[in-house]
Amino acid sequence: MAMTKFNLVVNIEVAEDKGEDANLAEDFGQTFLMGVFDGLGGRSAGYGGKTGGRIASEESSHISKTFFKQWHGEIKPENVIQLQQQICRSLKIKADINMPKTSSRLKGSLVEHKLCTTIALASIPKQKGQERIFEANLAWMGDSRIYFLSPTKGLQQLTKDDLVTSKDALEMLRQDPPMSQYLTADINPTWQIHFQHYEIEGSGCFLACTDGCFQYFSAPWEFEKLLLEMLSKSEGDTMDKNTWQQLIKQRYTEIKQDDVSLILYPVGFNGIKHLKSSYQERLQYLQENFMAPTANSRYEDVQTLWEKYKIDYEYYFQFIQDIQPIATPKLSVSEDYPSSSNTSATSSLSTQELNQVFKQKAAAKAEEIQTLLEQAYCYYENNRLKEAQNLCIQVLNIEVHYSEAKYLLGLIYTKSALTESNYNRGELFKKAGSYFEELVLNKSAVEKLIAVEKIVESYRILGFIYYSLNSPNKSVHYYQIFFKSEGSDKLDNWQEDLNFFVISLRNSTGNKCESANSAIQFCHRLVHNTKLLPYGRNTVIYYFMAQLQEIEGELNAALNSLQTVLGNYLQLDYKMHQEAQQMYHKIMNKLNGRRY
């Protein structure tokens, strides 16, 4: 039975009775709603013995819980705007009643805002049957985060922090840039809560976290390590008796530098034993490959590890709609809460405006990227590779996970490698391989963003790259996938690919029969599609088919292919013809030896 009722909640105050975090974990039957709120005490004073941050986070949590009852716990594009309006209006009422107005020389700065808090919410429909795709709708503002913890990809950030100056997760650990927006009693009319929908394939854990959970580690992967190490150490074979939550709380109590609010919700597991076993390999991988930086660690070394880790960590950033927020209508304190009909009308209008802004921004961004890529392809075709590379990097600066730019960078580095010395050639091939592997390893998501033909081409080039790097097993692996891919028989250069594959296969250590068979099937498709000779008989194809059949151990089949080759040998070069004759006599000797 799938684990849908278990959730883990950790809430720790850095100073007793002074905490400014609040959280929300509600089961609405078919939907689980979770969220965290980080009160920004440094932004304003409070009243009644509480800081402004605590008042804001508690009120936002309470309103969110009440608000989503009418929506059965579901976050939707239209209701997040209503939620923002209700929270900010309630905070304004409280501030105007309890906090008399004061003049400020710092007008326009963050200091003048009253009752401030972040918000990060996720609604997750319950799993039905054996579904392996899990949906989540997110809403957030500020720097609290929603994550997905995958057993294979690790920790993946699903939200983007609202910052005045954009920083990645590693930079955030060394700097503390101000937030660009958050919930507050006197909210800027242009600030807008974010909404994002995800469909995530495979089991894992959704997390909602305030910055006290992740901001005080030496590297982003240390947060993931803490979660998985505590899971590995946990005891208890049932959810109600397992100690994972207690161990996480104990560890944060030892290292806390801020309030800590963390909610974790697993999906797709069949109990705690299944959950623990699913993450064992991931924890081992982290422990073996990602060091815990110390005061003596070189920043360059940490940066190198981060470049490797962030490929999966930032993967979902490419799907986040990064739009300019729109104005929210100002609400007078004297107004009553709007009726449901008025609220719906306001929400509908705001959603239309939001969609219009998104379309305009998305169109401008897409046009800029398209212009850069067209120029980059032009440079690539004319062998101006450095200029093409620079334009691709510009595209990735605009959209960090833009697949088309990564595909072209792979082509650029591959072409560059063919003109370089042996040492540089290997390094360039490795760079090219990293871009192509990123595309094929995330194939299911990338296929929505890039032509399928380019994914197939990526497998082919990876086979060639690893042949060139003298890694026969990897070359065979990627060529084998290429041969099985639909449309692979329609690409050019199949003669070179079959040659590289046969050489790699002879030097590989895997299951040669299975690999050879995939290439033989590819050859059969080539024969069917090729119009170079009558009846589709292409001599070169049968030449490679004979070699593959010999490797497979099908000597009679290889002999038949060679008879076809030698009967139509005019398409073969002299070397191929000689090799075909030698192979024919060699196989005949083997067959005669078996008979006698």
Side-chain angles (χ1 to χ4, degrees), residues 502-536:
V502 168
I503 294 171
S504 297
L505 185 59
R506 292 189 188 279
N507 294 319
S508 68
T509 57
N511 185 334
K512 295 186 180 184
C513 290
E514 180 182 345
S515 301
N517 185 258
S518 66
I520 290 170
Q521 297 306 313
F522 173 74
C523 288
H524 283 303
R525 300 208 311 275
L526 283 174
V527 168
H528 177 74
N529 290 327
T530 301
K531 299 178 182 179
L532 298 177
L533 285 176
Y535 314 110

Side-chain angles (χ1 to χ4, degrees), residues 311-424:
I311 292 173
D312 290 324
Y313 180 90
E314 293 185 348
Y315 172 72
Y316 286 99
F317 282 11
Q318 64 185 306
F319 304 110
I320 296 176
Q321 307 296 350
D322 188 13
I323 61 170
Q324 182 68 33
I326 63 169
T328 2
K330 267 197 166 183
L331 297 173
S332 167
V333 179
S334 60
E335 292 176 356
D336 293 328
Y337 279 96
S339 66
S340 58
S341 60
N342 289 339
T343 302
S344 298
T346 303
S347 171
S348 175
L349 177 62
S350 297
T351 303
Q352 291 172 6
E353 293 173 353
L354 181 62
N355 288 338
Q356 185 61 32
V357 172
F358 163 68
K359 289 177 181 178
Q360 292 172 353
K361 294 290 182 181
K365 183 176 178 180
E367 184 177 355
E368 181 181 3
I369 288 175
Q370 188 62 32
T371 301
L372 290 169
L373 277 176
E374 286 177 359
Q375 186 62 55
Y377 270 108
C378 183
Y379 282 144
Y380 171 75
E381 294 296 336
N382 288 282
N383 291 319
R384 296 169 63 178
L385 302 181
K386 194 65 179 178
E387 290 143 302
Q389 177 185 331
N390 290 337
L391 289 176
C392 287
I393 290 171
Q394 287 184 46
V395 171
L396 294 178
N397 286 336
I398 297 170
E399 180 55 71
V400 68
H401 290 292
Y402 202 81
S403 302
E404 189 76 32
K406 294 186 176 183
Y407 171 78
L408 181 51
L409 275 171
L411 294 179
I412 290 167
Y413 283 123
T414 301
K415 186 181 277 192
S416 299
L418 297 175
T419 62
E420 287 289 337
S421 64
N422 288 337
Y423 173 76
N424 289 334

Side-chain angles (χ1 to χ4, degrees), residues 66-132:
T66 304
F67 175 85
F68 280 108
K69 285 182 179 178
Q70 62 185 307
W71 297 92
H72 308 291
E74 293 184 45
I75 299 172
K76 297 176 178 289
E78 57 268 28
N79 67 26
V80 296
I81 297 170
Q82 296 179 46
L83 177 67
Q84 176 182 326
Q85 292 171 351
Q86 287 200 18
I87 290 175
C88 292
R89 184 171 185 280
S90 178
L91 294 178
K92 182 170 177 56
I93 293 171
K94 288 182 176 295
D96 287 351
I97 292 174
N98 297 286
M99 303 171 70
K101 289 184 171 64
T102 58
S103 61
S104 172
R105 295 183 178 179
L106 300 175
K107 187 172 178 59
S109 74
L110 296 178
V111 177
E112 69 174 340
H113 290 286
K114 300 174 183 177
L115 305 183
C116 311
T117 182
T118 68
I119 180 172
L121 294 168
S123 66
I124 305 151
K126 297 291 184 65
Q127 184 185 17
K128 298 176 182 178
Q130 298 301 313
E131 292 177 0
R132 302 302 301 162

Side-chain angles (χ1 to χ4, degrees), residues 441-467:
L441 290 174
N442 296 299
K443 178 174 174 286
S444 59
V446 168
E447 279 182 340
K448 301 174 184 176
L449 309 170
I450 191 172
V452 175
E453 293 82 0
K454 292 180 178 178
I455 299 294
V456 176
E457 177 75 0
S458 297
Y459 283 120
R460 186 191 72 79
I461 299 175
L462 280 167
F464 165 69
I465 285 173
Y466 282 110
Y467 161 79

